[in-house]
Amino acid sequence: MSSPVLGIMTLYLNEHRALEERSIYRRMILEGRKRGLDIYVFTPADVHPGGKQIEAMVFHSEKGWSREWRPFPDMIFDRCRIQRNRRFQQLLAFREKYGHMLFLNRPLRNKWTIHQTLSARSAFREHLPETVLFQDMSDVNRMLKASSLIYLKPINGTGGRGILRIERNSSDTNMVLVQGRDQKRRIITPRKVHLSRLGSLLQHWNMKDKYLVQEGIQLQLPNGRVHDYRMLVQKNGEGEWELTGCAGRMGAEKSVTSNLHGGGQAVPMHRLMKQWITDEELRDEINATAEKLGISVASFLEDTYGDLCELALDLAIDKDGRIFLLEVNPKPAREVFARIGERNIYYKAITQPLEYALWVYRNRTVSTPNKVKVTKPVTKPVTGKTTVARRSRKSRLK
């Protein structure tokens, strides 16, 4: 009996067929082999024009990476991140043409749509910073009146690109400090400007319908660096959501974001949170609430948008222990756990999608000639009292 085949779909980074996460894919292939799961890597550009075969990237311990023509896989693990080029257009065409295939995960929407979707549920609203879609400078001015700190974020941005931090001067409310990164992740020179000149400063960023204006959370540590937490939730080998791990991230000096690709540093969550929240009981409550929130968000988004197998949640925690969901990432990296030395969690982060793929393969049922359906377990609702929330110290995730 032949092994089930999982195709990991990604995108080339350039015209020289460079790939991100090649070492992760190599390890997934080797771990899959131990489990009787045949894995190869491909991009939409590798599909034969006839549409029946793929020029796949395969890995063998003896000879390393090579190319082989392979039939289409039984399942697809979509690891494609947004690019602004023709390769991304090839991806969209592939999803359209082969959407009937069995995907472990379907694409999510942009940050604004995700925010609106989560806002529809009261249990999530208290964990979401105030956010609006940028239309003109009146949106920025209104938010700055309500909050002394705001962030401007691209709705499709990744890795901290194009994010601006704007903070009102405490002694002169007509002056603001503008910091951030450009679209190439470079830290821009901080500038103090008068509110009346802010519009002209932001004009060249082309923000209309492409940016969010978001309430900022004060997250600067005593050393002046910002911090947050990256939580990874994944489907396990029984098709159920569970917490894989959570790690702290501390931004580079003068950075307004904590992203590792932008020079940020990974720190064990318990160590970083101890610097921020001194009350041990409160830290335990935060951990429990964050886990319930992460699993609830993943389950809700899957019910809304279709199959998912993993999500990363970027969480901010203020000095009172209130948890804010800053962003949801459907194509999470895993290196944060390796960087903090949590090898067991790093290993689990790599192997959970493989265990889930095997579960999907065993539980698939064919409902029509062109559609494959998976019988899913009933997700248990996350209930029970929690002790930290945005506006009050007690809330319920319904």
Side-chain angles (χ1 to χ4, degrees):
M1 184 176 178
S2 60
S3 299
V5 180
L6 175 66
I8 300 176
M9 183 169 68
T10 184
L11 291 177
Y12 293 123
L13 297 177
N14 53 39
E15 300 306 316
H16 303 291
R17 288 183 163 187
L19 277 185
E20 254 184 325
E21 301 188 310
R22 187 185 289 265
S23 62
I24 299 290
Y25 300 149
R26 175 182 59 80
R27 188 158 183 185
M28 283 185 166
I29 289 171
L30 296 176
E31 292 294 336
R33 203 163 288 155
K34 295 176 186 177
R35 293 162 171 77
L37 181 63
D38 183 15
I39 302 175
Y40 64 71
V41 181
F42 75 101
T43 80
D46 299 323
V47 178
H48 188 275
K52 294 182 179 180
Q53 284 192 311
I54 294 173
E55 190 184 16
M57 289 164 273
V58 297
F59 183 85
H60 297 284
S61 301
E62 320 80 53
K63 58 182 181 179
W65 288 98
S66 61
R67 295 270 179 177
E68 294 179 7
W69 284 104
R70 299 284 299 272
F72 271 67
D74 298 304
M75 300 164 286
I76 295 176
F77 182 22
D78 187 342
R79 290 289 300 165
C80 301
R81 297 190 175 109
I82 292 174
Q83 296 182 8
R84 294 176 176 84
N85 52 40
R86 66 178 183 84
R87 290 186 294 274
F88 194 73
Q89 296 305 311
Q90 289 176 330
L91 168 65
L92 297 180
F94 180 94
R95 287 173 176 167
E96 176 70 23
K97 184 174 182 179
Y98 300 104
H100 60 278
M101 295 188 65
L102 184 52
F103 284 76
L104 299 189
N105 54 336
R106 296 287 176 174
L108 285 183
R109 306 305 188 265
N110 62 50
K111 295 176 187 177
W112 173 237
T113 306
I114 294 297
H115 176 83
Q116 289 180 300
T117 300
L118 293 176
S119 296
R121 189 171 178 184
S122 59
F124 298 146
R125 275 199 300 272
E126 60 191 358
H127 296 287
L128 299 174
E130 295 296 325
T131 305
V132 298
L133 183 64
F134 180 92
Q135 297 297 311
D136 55 44
M137 278 302 298
S138 65
D139 298 311
V140 174
N141 293 330
R142 277 195 302 271
M143 191 73 77
L144 278 171
K145 285 183 179 180
S147 175
S148 62
L149 174 64
I150 68 171
Y151 278 81
L152 301 178
K153 299 179 176 181
I155 61 173
N156 285 315
T158 60
R161 294 178 179 86
I163 292 182
L164 295 176
R165 181 184 192 270
I166 303 175
E167 185 170 19
R168 280 204 324 259
N169 189 299
S170 57
S171 57
D172 184 355
T173 56
N174 288 318
M175 297 296 294
V176 293
L177 176 64
V178 181
Q179 301 169 276
R181 291 179 181 269
D182 63 18
Q183 294 295 343
K184 295 183 178 180
R185 283 205 196 103
R186 296 173 300 201
I187 294 176
I188 64 175
T189 303
R191 293 185 61 177
K192 290 182 179 179
V193 300
H194 194 276
L195 272 174
S196 62
R197 296 185 56 232
L198 184 58
S200 59
L201 178 65
L202 300 179
Q203 191 172 13
H204 74 280
W205 287 75
N206 189 26
M207 292 183 175
K208 183 174 171 58
D209 293 326
K210 299 177 182 179
Y211 262 71
L212 300 180
V213 185
Q214 190 171 83
E215 170 194 7
I217 315 300
Q218 291 289 356
L219 299 171
Q220 286 184 313
L221 295 163
N223 62 11
R225 300 188 181 190
V226 298
H227 79 292
D228 63 15
Y229 302 90
R230 166 57 67 92
M231 171 181 284
L232 179 63
V233 291
Q234 296 176 301
K235 290 282 192 68
N236 60 24
E238 296 178 351
E240 297 177 345
W241 286 106
E242 66 179 34
L243 172 67
T244 297
C246 196
R249 303 184 303 179
M250 183 169 60
E253 188 176 355
K254 297 182 181 179
S255 174
V256 302
T257 65
S258 64
N259 305 77
L260 301 187
H261 290 300
Q265 176 184 350
V267 184
M269 183 178 184
H270 66 88
R271 188 191 304 168
L272 188 58
M273 195 184 295
K274 198 171 183 179
Q275 298 180 40
W276 191 244
I277 305 287
T278 57
D279 187 326
E280 182 178 357
E281 183 179 351
L282 180 55
R283 292 199 301 270
D284 291 340
E285 293 169 354
I286 291 169
N287 287 328
T289 302
E291 179 176 352
K292 291 177 181 178
L293 176 64
I295 293 173
S296 291
V297 166
S299 179
F300 180 72
L301 291 178
E302 181 175 41
D303 288 344
T304 305
Y305 293 114
D307 295 320
L308 296 171
C309 69
E310 60 180 7
L311 285 177
L313 290 81
D314 291 343
L315 304 176
I317 301 168
D318 71 10
K319 276 290 190 179
D320 296 323
R322 297 179 295 182
I323 299 174
F324 297 86
L325 175 57
L326 301 178
E327 191 171 318
V328 177
N329 185 341
K331 308 294 168 55
R334 297 149 222 278
E335 72 267 21
V336 64
F337 301 111
R339 292 196 189 189
I340 60 177
E342 294 184 348
R343 293 289 172 180
N344 290 339
I345 294 178
Y346 180 61
Y347 177 78
K348 184 178 179 181
I350 289 173
T351 57
Q352 281 276 65
L354 313 183
E355 300 287 354
Y356 176 60
L358 289 169
W359 179 87
V360 168
Y361 187 78
R362 290 192 302 266
N363 288 275
R364 73 199 189 288
T365 56
V366 179
S367 54
T368 73
N370 296 317
K371 295 286 183 180
V372 182
K373 184 178 180 181
V374 177
T375 304
K376 296 182 180 180
V378 177
T379 303
K380 296 177 182 178
V382 179
T383 59
K385 291 186 177 179
T386 58
T387 53
V388 283
R390 180 178 177 189
R391 301 302 179 196
S392 65
R393 291 292 300 276
K394 290 193 176 183
S395 68
R396 185 179 295 271
L397 293 176
K398 297 178 181 177

